[in-house]
Amino acid sequence: MMARQRRRSRPVSEFLSGMDAQGCVGGVSLVDLVAEFGSPLYVYDGDAIRGQFRAYLAHGLPRELQLHFAMKANSNLAILRLLAAEGAGFDIVSGGELARVLQAGGDAAQVVFSGVAKSDAEMQAALAAGIGCFNVESAAELQCLAEVASAMGKVAPVALRVNPDVDAKTHPYISTGMRENKFGVALEDAPALYRWAAVQPSLRVVGVGCHIGSQIRSLAPFLQAADSVLTLADALVAEGIALGHVDLGGGLGIETADDFMALTPADLSRALLERVGERPLRLHLQPGRSLVGNAGLLLSQVVFRKSQSGRDFLMLDAAMNDYVRPALYQVRPSLVNVSRPYDGVSRMDVVGPVCESSDTFARDFPICGERGDVVVIPGTGAYGFSMASNYNSRPRPAEVLIEGGQARLIRRRETFADLWAQEVL
C-alpha cells in the first residue's frame, strides 16, 4: 500500500483554534498557566468549543438537527456543562458517563446510550433516568433490554445501530462501521429485529442509526453510510414501523499541522440533511473529537536534554500515561516550544519519563529546548485526559478552562494519596 504523503507542516496558529504566535490562548499566557498550575497541564479554550458546536448548526438549511456530544472524547464536568448550555445532548457508552451527564446538569432525555455490552445495571440506571434512546447493537442486547424494561415496568426507547460495512479509510483501531468490526447489527439482520422490537410492549422503536469511525476527512464515507441507513429506514416505514430519527454518528476529523482539513462541520451537516431530504426524520449527529480536539492543549516542561549515540533527546515531564495516542495509534503530534523560538536546525526525539520505549511523542522532530522550557502538544482536547492513566504510579494532570480571557481550574492535579485512596491494606 502506498505510504500516505505528508503535507508541508504549517504554524500551529494556522490550524489550532485559540492559540496565537505568542503562546497565548484567549489572551492568557500558557507559560504563566504552567507557573500557576504546574505541569503537565491540560488547557481548553471554551470559546473554541462553542464555536465548533455552533458551526454544525450553521448549515443554512431550514431543517434542524440534534447534536449529541460523544463524551468519551472529553468527559470533564465543566466541558459537559458548557455544551449542555449550548443545547447539546450526549452520546454515552457507560453507566459512569451517564452519571457524569446527570452530575453536570445534562438532560437525560437528550442522552443516547451506545456500546456493545451494556450491563443490566447500566440499562436499569438509564431507564430510571429516562434517557432518550438506547442504540442497540445486537439481538442479545435487544432481548435483554426488553426483559429489563419489563421487569421495571418501563418502556425502553430503542434504535438499532446498524453496521453499513463502510470503510472510512481511517486507523483500524478507530474504524467502527465495517463488517469485521464488533459494533452494530448487520444490515441484513436489522429488518427482522425491528419487526420483533415493534411488537414488544416494553420497547418503543424511535429511530435507526450507524457510526463508521473517527478522524474521517471526506464526505464520501458519511454519504455512503447514510444511503444504506436511509434505504433501511424507507423499508421499515413502508412496513408500518414508525421512526422518529436517523442517527448518522460522528467521526469528523480535525486539522493538524500536516493535514489540511477542508471539510467543515457545516459541510457535513448540510450534506447529510440534504440526504435525509423530505423524509419526516430528525437528523442526529454525535460529534466528539471535532468539537474539542483542537480546543485543547497539553502543556509540559522540559526536564532534561540528552545526546547519545547520535540522537538528541528532549525529555518532558508529560508521558504516555498523560497522552497515550502517540503510543497507541502511532499519532505524530505537533510540538511547540513556547519558551524559545526554533533555531531552524535542531532535530530531536521528544520523549517522556515512563519506563517504556513507546513513551515517545515524536522522533526527529524540528524543535529545540532547554531545561524548564514549556512545550505545547496541541490538538489534545479529545482522547487526551479521558484516556489518561496512573501507569508508573503517576498522578494525572490538572485541567484548566479558559473563557472570556479568564482561566479557571476545572480539575485539580491528583496527589500521591489519590493513587491509593481506593486500595485496602
Side-chain angles (χ1 to χ4, degrees), residues 312-325:
D312 289 325
F313 296 92
L314 198 65
M315 300 177 176
L316 306 182
D317 61 4
M320 63 184 290
N321 75 290
D322 303 306
Y323 182 52
V324 74
R325 288 183 57 76

Side-chain angles (χ1 to χ4, degrees), residues 67-413:
L67 301 179
H68 297 94
F69 174 53
M71 60 175 288
K72 59 184 176 289
N74 189 317
S75 58
N76 185 283
L77 294 180
I79 303 289
L80 302 185
R81 180 164 291 184
L82 182 158
L83 286 166
E86 288 291 311
F90 297 94
D91 169 52
I92 68 170
V93 292
S94 74
E97 288 190 344
L98 172 61
R100 278 186 170 272
V101 169
L102 299 179
Q103 182 67 23
D107 182 2
Q110 294 299 323
V111 169
V112 295
F113 196 163
S114 304
V116 300
K118 305 174 186 72
S119 69
D120 289 14
E122 288 174 325
M123 292 179 182
Q124 290 163 357
L127 286 165
I131 70 163
C133 183
F134 289 87
N135 282 345
V136 174
E137 305 208 26
S138 67
E141 181 190 337
L142 191 64
Q143 173 75 43
C144 181
L145 180 59
E147 294 170 357
V148 169
S150 178
M152 293 179 66
K154 300 279 190 180
V155 176
V158 299
L160 292 186
R161 173 178 171 175
V162 297
N163 188 322
D165 195 26
V166 170
D167 185 357
K169 306 296 184 185
T170 188
H171 193 286
Y173 291 1
I174 52 178
S175 170
T176 61
M178 296 185 69
R179 188 176 297 273
E180 62 265 28
N181 297 137
K182 68 179 181 180
F183 301 96
V185 172
L187 269 172
E188 60 268 25
D189 297 334
L193 292 175
Y194 268 106
R195 294 183 196 111
W196 184 85
V199 298
Q200 303 305 308
S202 60
L203 300 179
R204 175 169 58 91
V205 173
V206 296
V208 59
C210 73
H211 195 295
I212 58 172
S214 183
Q215 194 55 13
I216 303 171
R217 312 186 69 80
S218 72
L219 273 176
F222 290 111
L223 296 179
Q224 183 182 350
D227 288 343
S228 294
V229 173
L230 289 169
T231 297
L232 172 62
D234 291 343
L236 294 172
V237 171
E239 288 190 30
I241 298 175
L243 299 174
H245 73 258
V246 57
D247 184 341
L248 296 178
L252 183 64
I254 60 173
E255 191 168 339
T256 70
D258 297 324
D259 283 301
F260 175 71
M261 188 72 187
L263 182 62
T264 70
D267 293 334
L268 179 61
S269 56
R270 184 184 309 112
L272 294 178
L273 283 167
E274 289 173 345
R275 259 328 194 255
V276 174
E278 298 303 313
R279 295 175 179 88
L281 296 172
R282 184 161 191 179
L283 175 62
H284 289 189
L285 295 178
Q286 300 168 5
R289 185 195 316 272
S290 59
L291 294 185
V292 296
N294 271 348
L297 312 129
L298 176 58
L299 309 185
S300 181
Q301 284 189 285
V302 177
V303 181
F304 300 116
R305 60 174 298 166
K306 169 183 175 180
S307 296
Q308 177 174 287
S309 303
R311 309 291 297 183
D312 289 325
F313 296 92
L314 198 65
M315 300 177 176
L316 306 182
D317 61 4
M320 63 184 290
N321 75 290
D322 303 306
Y323 182 52
V324 74
R325 288 183 57 76
L328 182 60
Y329 297 113
Q330 298 78 54
V331 169
R332 178 180 165 93
S334 299
L335 298 146
V336 181
N337 186 338
V338 294
S339 296
R340 71 183 64 243
Y342 179 49
D343 61 14
V345 177
S346 299
R347 310 284 298 194
M348 307 190 77
D349 292 355
V350 184
V351 302
V354 156
C355 192
E356 299 277 350
S357 293
S358 58
D359 186 25
T360 299
F361 293 112
R363 296 189 185 279
D364 195 36
F365 195 88
I367 193 171
C368 58
E370 299 293 341
R371 180 173 172 83
D373 286 356
V374 174
V375 173
V376 176
I377 307 177
T380 53
Y383 306 104
F385 188 94
S386 68
M387 296 183 76
S389 75
N390 293 125
Y391 187 47
N392 281 195
S393 289
R394 287 172 51 85
R396 288 180 296 177
E399 295 177 284
V400 166
L401 179 66
I402 297 174
E403 296 180 282
Q406 299 294 318
R408 65 185 177 94
L409 188 69
I410 58 173
R411 182 186 176 100
R412 66 170 176 81
R413 186 176 306 280

